[in-house]
Amino acid sequence: MSSRILPHAALPDAFKRLVNLHEYVERTAAEEGLDPVLIELVKTRASQINGCAYCADMHARDGARHGETARRLAVLPVWRETELFTAQERAALALTEAISHLSETRDVPDEVYAEAAEAFSERQLAVVIWAASLIQTFNGINVAGRKPLPEQDWSGS
């Protein structure tokens, strides 16, 4: 494997600003009554699609801390094939996947957007879009720098 810079370390002030924006979106999610598990599902699923092992691991761990189950995390890549996710979670996951595949589709289909708009208030929907979009940036930074997983195993807790 080639040697790479860690973009977050090379420009720490830019990364700090991104983290501050992330924290603002997290606070707004809580203020709008969104379940932290739903937000972690969004971030985990986008990270899986984008091939960011660091973020997928971190957000699965964070989801577990908020009460997410190992079973649901295990089937997250195939969530459509299960009945384990709520209608609101399904709408958020479909929207997240559409946002994560923009380079291929160049669109968020109207039916995906409409389903999400029906499942969330306007501000909640904005938070889901921001969460899905921000994790794309974190994924890009970490994948480009090949940020390694933490050494400790979290064992689903």
Side-chain angles (χ1 to χ4, degrees):
M1 213 181 291
S2 63
S3 176
R4 296 183 181 211
I5 66 163
L6 294 175
H8 68 282
L11 288 177
D13 289 341
F15 191 73
K16 183 178 179 181
R17 288 183 170 109
L18 184 60
V19 169
N20 288 340
L21 179 56
H22 171 263
E23 290 170 348
Y24 171 77
V25 171
E26 294 281 310
R27 282 191 308 274
T28 305
E31 290 167 5
E32 295 302 319
L34 287 171
D35 186 344
V37 167
L38 181 140
I39 299 299
E40 296 305 331
L41 287 171
V42 164
K43 292 186 273 189
T44 303
R45 184 65 189 121
S47 299
Q48 291 170 338
I49 292 167
N50 291 317
C52 185
Y54 184 88
C55 290
D57 178 71
M58 177 173 57
H59 294 295
R61 179 189 317 229
D62 290 347
R65 284 192 192 121
H66 288 294
E68 185 55 87
T69 67
R71 183 178 190 202
R72 284 178 16 125
L73 288 170
V75 299
L76 184 56
V78 291
W79 62 269
R80 284 183 176 85
E81 304 301 319
T82 78
E83 297 298 323
L84 297 177
F85 299 91
T86 68
Q88 195 175 57
E89 290 167 340
R90 296 173 79 76
L93 290 168
L95 182 59
T96 297
E97 288 183 356
I99 291 169
S100 298
H101 289 292
L102 283 174
S103 67
E104 299 161 19
T105 64
R106 292 173 179 53
D107 189 28
V108 172
D110 289 339
E111 61 274 8
V112 170
Y113 189 89
E115 181 182 354
E118 188 174 310
F120 298 102
S121 72
E122 186 174 300
R123 285 184 56 86
Q124 288 174 330
L125 178 58
V127 167
V128 171
I129 293 169
W130 271 100
S133 299
L134 277 172
I135 195 63
Q136 307 291 322
T137 301
F138 282 107
N139 293 160
I141 290 166
N142 291 332
V143 170
R146 291 194 178 138
K147 187 170 183 179
L149 286 174
E151 290 190 27
Q152 75 278 9
D153 181 20
W154 57 282
S155 301
S157 59

